[in-house]
């Protein structure tokens, strides 16, 4: 026989009510803990200051002027190992024969 067969309907109802109350208390406790812990979590706010050499702006202006007068664009078409770059260069040369692709590999 099951344990429920030994109990009267009133006892079963009382057991279910107690079980539901326990679940509600557990849920309420969880919600309260989440709310309390959220009070201590704060977004970090601050101010960032960058100290840089004033010559950097001048250098960037020179670089922009140089790039504006080159008459060509640089497009990165891949990255990986040197061998992969060489293979990719061959593919680009076949797809776009009017361009002269270069491999510049930086470690």
């Amino acid at each position: 026989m099951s344990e429920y067969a030994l109990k009267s309907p009133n006892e079963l109802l009382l057991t279910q009510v107690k079980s539901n109350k326990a679940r509600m208390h557990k849920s309420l406790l969880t919600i309260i803990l989440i709310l309390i812990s959220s009070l201590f979590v704060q977004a970090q706010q601050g101010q960032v200051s960058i100290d840089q050499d004033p010559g950097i702006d001048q250098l960037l202006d020179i670089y922009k002027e140089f790039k504006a007068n080159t008459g060509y664009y640089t497009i990165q078409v891949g990255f990986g190992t040197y061998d992969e770059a060489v293979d990719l260069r061959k593919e680009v040369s076949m797809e776009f024969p009017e361009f002269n692709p270069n491999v510049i590999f930086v470690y």
Side-chain angles (χ1 to χ4, degrees):
M1 285 179 72
S2 76
E3 64 182 84
Y4 295 111
L6 300 176
K7 296 183 180 181
S8 69
N10 288 340
E11 289 175 323
L12 286 175
L13 184 59
L14 185 60
T15 303
Q16 287 177 346
V17 168
K18 286 181 182 178
S19 176
N20 286 342
K21 275 187 175 182
R23 275 190 240 139
M24 283 179 39
H25 285 169
K26 187 175 181 181
S27 297
L28 185 60
L29 180 63
T30 303
I31 290 170
I32 290 171
L33 287 175
I34 290 172
L35 290 174
I36 289 173
S37 65
S38 68
L39 293 175
F40 296 103
V41 177
Q42 298 175 7
Q44 294 179 0
Q45 296 180 1
Q47 183 176 349
V48 176
S49 76
I50 299 174
D51 297 323
Q52 68 180 19
D53 188 327
I56 291 178
D57 290 330
Q58 183 182 3
L59 184 62
L60 286 173
D61 289 339
I62 292 170
Y63 179 76
K64 288 176 192 175
E65 185 178 328
F66 172 76
K67 282 296 196 181
N69 297 327
T70 59
Y72 66 89
Y73 295 98
T74 301
I75 301 172
Q76 179 179 339
V77 293
F79 55 91
T81 66
Y82 181 77
D83 293 333
E84 291 171 336
V86 170
D87 291 341
L88 186 57
R89 180 186 176 274
K90 290 176 187 174
E91 290 179 33
V92 170
S93 293
M94 290 188 298
E95 289 289 324
F96 304 100
E98 67 274 12
F99 298 115
N100 183 23
N102 292 326
V103 172
I104 299 173
F105 193 78
V106 180
Y107 290 97

